[in-house]
Amino acid sequence: ISMTCRLPNLTVRAAAGLLNPLSIPNKLLTGPGPSNQHPEVSAALSAPLLGHLHPEFTKIMDDVKDGIRYFFQTNNDWSFAISGTGHCAMEAACMNLLEPGETVLVCRNGIWGDRFAELSRRLSLKPVLLSQPPGSVFTPEQLESALQQHRPSVVFVVHGESSTGTLQPLEHLGGVCRKHGALLLVDSVAAAGGAPLLTDDWLIDCVYTGSQKCLGCTPGLGLISFSEAARRKILSRKVPPPSFYLDASQLANYWGCRTTEPPDQPVSARRYHHTAPISLVYAAREALRLVAVEGLPAAWERHERAADKLRAGLQGRLGQRLFVSKPQDRAPTVTTIAVPEGVDWKAVVQHAMAKHSVEIAGGLGPTAGQVWRIGLMGLNATEAVAERVLAALEDSLKAVGVATPNL
Amino acid sequence: ISMTCRLPNLTVRAAAGLLNPLSIPNKLLTGPGPSNQHPEVSAALSAPLLGHLHPEFTKIMDDVKDGIRYFFQTNNDWSFAISGTGHCAMEAACMNLLEPGETVLVCRNGIWGDRFAELSRRLSLKPVLLSQPPGSVFTPEQLESALQQHRPSVVFVVHGESSTGTLQPLEHLGGVCRKHGALLLVDSVAAAGGAPLLTDDWLIDCVYTGSQKCLGCTPGLGLISFSEAARRKILSRKVPPPSFYLDASQLANYWGCRTTEPPDQPVSARRYHHTAPISLVYAAREALRLVAVEGLPAAWERHERAADKLRAGLQGRLGQRLFVSKPQDRAPTVTTIAVPEGVDWKAVVQHAMAKHSVEIAGGLGPTAGQVWRIGLMGLNATEAVAERVLAALEDSLKAVGVATPNL
């Protein structure tokens, strides 16, 4: 072959470490995510690849859309996956729902409100913060008064605040937003699938989550859904969103959703938009199937039961204080424990991992250094896993010299 | 459990189609991507999950960085993966290297130049187009004259134009850009790993690719590398890029790269930025390992040999005309065939898939309806696969009534 003569010389050699085959230990992932994955979801990841416009693949995309509608309890036409993580879905929601100069009311009681405000500033929006101390939630009255004062286009609120361990009651927020002409945007990354979420009944205009928490799927996909009002706002934008990759109207077309008015027009043919992450879509399809087979009420109850077991053990046998003081504000998905005065939180985390292969996470953002975080989500939301985490934490507390009650 | 009483009623039932287990047919993916995946890469996708800051995972990230440096032949510190597809990496390159109001010279000889110009407009940049007809490439002289005229901050050029089948010679473009104070940005989505690419020697300031082409990995990850000059430009931006998810300086920190000056300062500790797509990073690590084990020169030769076999068969036995007229401009990765007058290109594509499970793609953008596209990339870059595609295409041409020479 003539090419042999003109092949250039390499100047960069491969590093020795890269040449070893991959080797991954087994761990119990009971931090705030990712969670462990169901074996059927792992198996789906290894299925043969298909092209991103092959009919067998677009059928799987249709299943994913159906699965998302069930997962979020919505009939929204625009329900699809984002080819990025839950954080990427947050950016997609922000940049599609809002245009430069618009006001967004950001309910901030943990890191995710701060993050959303930062995204908003990067996108030249006008974020207005409505703050509550970490560990507490918002009332409809607080929201209404802020809506009257600031007249935002969109309200951002976090369902499960993974940095603090709260679960925001959402039932009555949508009505308040609608009354004041604002769309309600909900971050349910650390709650959907593990706590009740009724998108349509609760008048939520946009909700998103990540694949790696209560869905029990590998990280890398965001699931998102837009109401008709959100869809209309997006389709009547003055300028397109800054990203083509995350442009919801382009994605909606690729996902076989309706992108034209009136509603009775036929759906346009799918156009190539980007190469979907084929294997992740397979995995999400299987994870959504497993949720549908179990049924959401059973999954919600399972998460609640596991969390109850964990909280009881933490407060009883282990003598620890939960960071979220009001029981009704505690998320069933992520539980936060106040680190006792003088205790080296990191040593506890390291001991639990080194001796038990159990993940207990430290705090994040406003709770950094102040809490431990335990996530019982997806596959891990069982009383047996709660017990395993309690045993690991008990041993780790003892190892660093914390006295735990002997009951 | 008390919760049972307060569980809300579901209003959305799961669709029947979702409840069937996943079933995926085997296909030969010889379109312009995704390509078929090596079994060791598929197996890596199913490995147990780790946390995104676990030391075993950050070690894998280090391997991926090393693998990217080898793959692109660069010693760039900022060499890492983007948690999105190759298209997402294109957006990341664009929004990090450029600030609103800056001029970017877009070399456009296919769909990707058009796409980059669209991204630039969405980001309030000033794209200037330097156009060549689809199927041809750019000379250093053409580039230099445009640089003198427009004085851009960045020049965008496509290495392997998957919509037309050209391979852009890059050896002499970097020097011309440097002479005129512009950074050279290269899209090598459809070339890297399948055609020689020497990022450092050729003075390329930013290069990216996708995981699903010559790397032979599932889609969903972008690989990117920034030169020191690119890094300095990014670290001295006046405003942050509009995306936090794709902010290169944030990503560099998470990937354990240096984000401060001077160069001899210690690297800052990795901060949580987003939850990396763990399984995709495993897969990319294994795919990069397989490239390193084979060696780039061997991989480049293998792609060239497979393409030679394909081109010879297409022009000889099948009597077809290649779309790229000059042999030296033809990419070894994606081969384009001019659809003969009056032939139903789609019927050929459908026959090849239905009867042979072989993917032959139609055109895209400026070549839509005018060409067939065949990709022999990664695992599929062999003479045996070339022969299988030739046989499928020959049979499909006959099926739609095209006479092929009998040699």
Side-chain angles (χ1 to χ4, degrees):
Chain A
I1 296 256
S2 60
M3 192 189 179
T4 320
C5 314
R6 54 188 173 84
L7 272 183
N9 290 322
L10 301 191
T11 55
V12 179
R13 303 279 144 203
L18 174 64
L19 301 177
N20 302 319
L22 189 71
S23 158
I24 311 283
N26 267 298
K27 297 183 175 189
L28 185 65
L29 300 180
T30 43
S35 310
N36 295 97
Q37 199 171 233
H38 195 285
E40 291 185 52
V41 179
S42 301
L45 281 168
S46 292
L49 292 177
L50 290 171
H52 43 284
L53 284 170
H54 289 184
E56 299 89 345
F57 184 68
T58 56
K59 169 70 179 66
I60 290 167
M61 293 170 77
D62 287 342
D63 288 344
V64 168
K65 282 160 61 184
D66 283 334
I68 293 172
R69 290 195 189 103
Y70 178 73
F71 198 65
F72 289 150
Q73 285 294 295
T74 178
N75 288 304
N76 287 339
D77 181 47
W78 280 25
S79 300
F80 47 77
I82 298 284
S83 300
T85 69
H87 196 291
C88 189
M90 179 194 270
E91 295 202 3
C94 185
M95 76 170 66
N96 279 286
L97 287 176
L98 290 149
E99 297 202 58
E102 282 192 297
T103 299
V104 54
L105 180 68
V106 181
C107 298
R108 168 217 198 202
N109 57 347
I111 196 174
W112 302 114
D114 283 325
R115 180 60 52 77
F116 193 88
E118 172 170 354
L119 299 187
S120 303
R121 283 186 289 267
R122 284 177 183 245
L123 291 164
S124 306
L125 313 177
K126 291 184 185 149
V128 176
L129 293 175
L130 173 63
S131 297
Q132 276 285 84
S136 51
V137 298
F138 298 87
T139 64
E141 293 72 29
Q142 289 168 327
L143 179 59
E144 178 144 35
S145 130
L147 278 160
Q148 284 164 335
Q149 191 185 342
H150 302 292
R151 311 230 142 267
S153 311
V154 171
V155 171
F156 170 82
V157 70
V158 179
H159 191 197
E161 231 307 345
S162 64
S163 69
T164 66
T166 53
L167 187 77
Q168 172 66 47
L170 295 170
E171 292 86 332
H172 305 297
L173 303 190
V176 175
C177 288
R178 195 163 289 192
K179 182 173 155 197
H180 294 277
L183 298 180
L184 176 59
L185 165 57
V186 173
D187 176 314
S188 193
V189 171
L197 171 63
L198 301 181
T199 299
D200 285 358
D201 283 5
W202 296 350
L203 308 176
I204 295 168
D205 290 294
C206 179
V207 59
Y208 61 83
T209 193
S211 50
Q212 79 280 13
K213 311 243 173 179
C214 301
L215 185 57
C217 178
T218 197
L221 270 195
L223 312 182
I224 199 164
S225 184
F226 296 95
S227 71
E228 276 305 295
R231 196 182 83 93
R232 272 196 305 274
K233 184 172 193 308
I234 292 169
L235 288 177
S236 60
R237 287 177 66 98
K238 288 183 216 75
V239 293
S243 169
F244 178 87
Y245 188 66
L246 299 179
D247 184 323
S249 58
Q250 300 275 348
L251 287 166
N253 169 275
Y254 175 48
W255 282 85
C257 306
R258 195 162 44 81
T259 54
T260 49
E261 300 291 354
D264 55 355
Q265 280 199 348
V267 174
S268 314
R270 290 171 202 257
R271 285 185 308 271
Y272 164 63
H273 173 258
H274 72 287
T275 303
I278 308 291
S279 307
L280 295 183
V281 175
Y282 293 168
R285 193 264 184 208
E286 287 301 89
L288 288 164
R289 176 175 69 80
L290 293 172
V291 170
V293 167
E294 178 179 16
L296 278 171
W300 294 335
E301 253 196 275
R302 182 165 53 76
H303 281 78
E304 188 66 40
R305 213 179 299 126
D308 273 343
K309 165 95 179 173
L310 178 68
R311 294 169 191 141
L314 289 169
Q315 297 181 105
R317 193 168 113 206
L318 270 63
Q320 299 302 304
R321 185 172 65 79
L322 298 184
F323 177 75
V324 178
S325 49
K326 292 187 190 160
Q328 69 271 26
D329 293 347
R330 292 174 190 152
T333 48
V334 176
T335 295
T336 41
I337 307 148
V339 175
E341 193 73 34
V343 170
D344 179 356
W345 67 268
K346 208 167 188 174
V348 170
V349 165
Q350 286 166 344
H351 187 273
M353 182 54 80
K355 297 286 180 246
H356 302 274
S357 295
V358 167
E359 179 167 33
I360 292 169
L364 179 68
T367 62
Q370 298 178 43
V371 303
W372 289 296
R373 295 183 297 159
I374 296 172
L376 299 180
M377 296 185 276
L379 201 59
N380 292 338
T382 66
E383 291 169 281
V385 171
E387 177 50 40
R388 200 175 144 196
V389 176
L390 284 167
L393 181 57
E394 185 168 23
D395 179 58
S396 305
L397 288 170
K398 281 179 185 156
V400 302
V402 178
T404 56
N406 288 311
L407 299 180
Chain B
I1 294 255
S2 59
M3 191 189 180
T4 320
C5 314
R6 53 187 174 84
L7 272 183
N9 291 322
L10 301 191
T11 55
V12 179
R13 304 279 144 202
L18 175 63
L19 301 176
N20 303 319
L22 190 70
S23 158
I24 311 283
N26 267 297
K27 296 183 176 189
L28 185 65
L29 299 179
T30 43
S35 309
N36 294 96
Q37 199 171 232
H38 195 285
E40 291 185 52
V41 179
S42 301
L45 281 167
S46 291
L49 293 177
L50 290 171
H52 43 284
L53 284 170
H54 289 184
E56 299 89 345
F57 184 68
T58 56
K59 169 70 178 68
I60 290 167
M61 293 169 77
D62 288 342
D63 288 343
V64 168
K65 282 160 61 183
D66 284 334
I68 293 173
R69 290 195 189 102
Y70 178 73
F71 198 66
F72 288 151
Q73 285 294 295
T74 178
N75 288 303
N76 287 340
D77 181 47
W78 280 25
S79 300
F80 47 78
I82 297 284
S83 300
T85 68
H87 197 290
C88 188
M90 179 194 269
E91 294 202 3
C94 184
M95 76 170 65
N96 279 285
L97 287 176
L98 290 149
E99 297 202 57
E102 283 192 297
T103 298
V104 54
L105 180 68
V106 181
C107 298
R108 167 217 199 203
N109 57 347
I111 196 174
W112 302 113
D114 283 325
R115 180 61 53 78
F116 193 87
E118 172 171 354
L119 299 187
S120 303
R121 283 186 289 267
R122 284 177 183 245
L123 291 163
S124 306
L125 313 176
K126 290 183 185 149
V128 176
L129 293 176
L130 173 63
S131 297
Q132 276 285 85
S136 51
V137 298
F138 299 87
T139 64
E141 293 71 29
Q142 289 169 327
L143 179 60
E144 178 144 35
S145 130
L147 278 160
Q148 284 164 335
Q149 191 186 342
H150 302 292
R151 310 229 143 267
S153 311
V154 171
V155 171
F156 170 82
V157 70
V158 179
H159 191 198
E161 231 307 344
S162 64
S163 69
T164 66
T166 54
L167 186 77
Q168 171 66 48
L170 295 170
E171 293 86 332
H172 305 297
L173 302 191
V176 175
C177 288
R178 195 163 289 192
K179 182 173 155 197
H180 294 277
L183 298 179
L184 177 59
L185 164 57
V186 173
D187 176 315
S188 193
V189 171
L197 170 63
L198 301 180
T199 299
D200 285 358
D201 283 5
W202 296 350
L203 308 177
I204 295 168
D205 290 294
C206 179
V207 60
Y208 61 83
T209 193
S211 50
Q212 79 281 13
K213 311 244 173 178
C214 300
L215 186 57
C217 179
T218 197
L221 269 194
L223 312 182
I224 199 164
S225 184
F226 296 96
S227 71
E228 276 306 295
R231 195 182 83 93
R232 272 196 305 274
K233 184 172 193 307
I234 292 169
L235 287 177
S236 60
R237 287 177 66 97
K238 289 183 217 75
V239 293
S243 169
F244 179 87
Y245 188 67
L246 299 180
D247 184 324
S249 58
Q250 300 275 349
L251 286 166
N253 169 276
Y254 175 48
W255 281 85
C257 306
R258 194 162 45 80
T259 54
T260 50
E261 300 291 354
D264 56 354
Q265 280 199 349
V267 174
S268 314
R270 290 171 202 258
R271 285 184 308 271
Y272 164 64
H273 173 259
H274 72 286
T275 303
I278 308 290
S279 307
L280 295 184
V281 175
Y282 294 167
R285 193 264 184 209
E286 287 301 89
L288 288 164
R289 176 175 70 80
L290 293 172
V291 170
V293 167
E294 178 179 18
L296 278 171
W300 294 335
E301 253 196 276
R302 181 166 53 75
H303 281 78
E304 188 66 40
R305 212 178 301 126
D308 273 343
K309 165 95 179 173
L310 178 68
R311 295 170 191 140
L314 288 169
Q315 297 181 106
R317 194 168 112 206
L318 271 63
Q320 299 302 305
R321 185 172 65 81
L322 298 184
F323 178 75
V324 178
S325 49
K326 292 187 190 160
Q328 69 270 26
D329 293 346
R330 292 174 189 151
T333 48
V334 176
T335 295
T336 41
I337 306 149
V339 175
E341 194 73 33
V343 171
D344 179 356
W345 67 268
K346 209 166 188 174
V348 171
V349 165
Q350 286 167 343
H351 187 273
M353 182 54 79
K355 297 286 179 247
H356 302 274
S357 295
V358 167
E359 179 168 31
I360 293 169
L364 179 67
T367 62
Q370 298 178 43
V371 303
W372 288 296
R373 295 183 297 159
I374 295 172
L376 298 180
M377 296 186 275
L379 201 60
N380 292 338
T382 66
E383 291 169 280
V385 171
E387 176 50 40
R388 201 176 142 194
V389 176
L390 284 167
L393 181 57
E394 186 168 22
D395 179 58
S396 305
L397 288 169
K398 281 180 185 155
V400 301
V402 178
T404 56
N406 287 310
L407 299 179

